[in-house]
Amino acid sequence: MTAAILAFALFSLLVAMAPGPDTLLVLRNCLRGGRRTGSATALGAAFGSLAWGVAAAFGLAAALQRWDAAFTVVRLAGAAYLVFLGGQALWAQRPRRGAAGAPAREDRAQEPLPGGGLRTGEAFRQGLLSCLLNPKVGVFFVAVVPQFLPEGSSPFGTTLLFGVVDAVVAALWMLLVAVCAARMTTWLRRPRVHRNLERATGGVLLALGVGTAVES
């Protein structure tokens, strides 16, 4: 059992390290509100992953995968949420005009950063919803967990255990991402850098949402 847990933990780490919507949200919210909001986003995504692990143990994820209509509804809801977050970021960084109609200078060091004041509860909710509305996480458990089940073990209990392992691994990795991003806060919050990163992450989230919506 120990070997199976370690193997699954390593596999979960490799999956967590692959850039995805959750990691992008952690980076974006860390930029907007610092390490606290980035960490809250990471914990929210980890709790979402744990919920999918529990659902897989009870067979809900497998049933969702087989029921095309329900799977499509969850997938489109997740895509719409990503598009909303991406569009929100891009809208916040739209060019503004000064009183005389000329484009406002956005690279002044004293300019207040848009998106400031993001609360930890909101950041946690964004991470949670981002993961819960991604049915691929449930499919991951259904498709991958059986490959690591030790012979003679309880599928239900082991799947629950693997769900906890995956959530812990994902939380630790994304918390590390949040800490590293927070250490670069001074540079990342320079208005020009901040603006370009917000636009980049917003564009990627928007593209991920559109891609999720149109994929079969």
Side-chain angles (χ1 to χ4, degrees), residues 25-125:
L25 277 180
V26 170
L27 288 172
R28 177 172 178 258
N29 288 346
C30 192
L31 177 63
R32 295 176 70 195
R35 184 174 60 184
R36 179 173 297 180
T37 54
S39 299
T41 308
L43 292 177
F47 270 94
S49 178
L50 179 59
W52 274 115
V54 174
F58 281 96
L60 297 178
L64 181 64
Q65 186 182 12
R66 289 193 298 267
W67 189 13
D68 290 343
F71 186 89
T72 300
V73 168
V74 176
R75 178 173 58 83
L76 292 179
Y81 188 63
L82 291 176
V83 169
F84 168 75
L85 291 177
Q88 187 182 54
L90 293 176
W91 178 257
Q93 299 303 320
R94 69 191 185 282
R96 295 176 175 81
R97 293 190 172 273
R105 291 184 58 85
E106 300 179 39
D107 56 347
R108 291 175 296 180
Q110 66 271 24
E111 178 186 341
L113 293 176
L118 180 67
R119 298 186 178 183
T120 54
E122 182 183 354
F124 180 90
R125 184 171 62 252

Side-chain angles (χ1 to χ4, degrees), residues 166-178:
D166 181 72
V168 170
V169 169
L172 291 176
W173 170 253
M174 287 187 289
L175 285 172
L176 177 62
V177 171

Side-chain angles (χ1 to χ4, degrees), residues 8-9 11-12 15 22 45-63 65 71 131-132 134-149 155-170:
F8 181 77
F11 187 82
S12 295
V15 173
D22 295 338
F47 270 94
S49 178
L50 179 59
W52 274 115
V54 174
F58 281 96
L60 297 178
Q65 186 182 12
F71 186 89
C131 189
L132 287 180
N134 185 2
K136 293 180 181 178
V137 181
V139 173
F140 163 79
F141 280 103
V142 173
V144 172
V145 166
Q147 315 301 321
F148 292 90
L149 289 177
F156 177 80
T158 307
T159 302
L160 282 178
L161 176 60
F162 283 171
V164 173
V165 170
D166 181 72
V168 170
V169 169

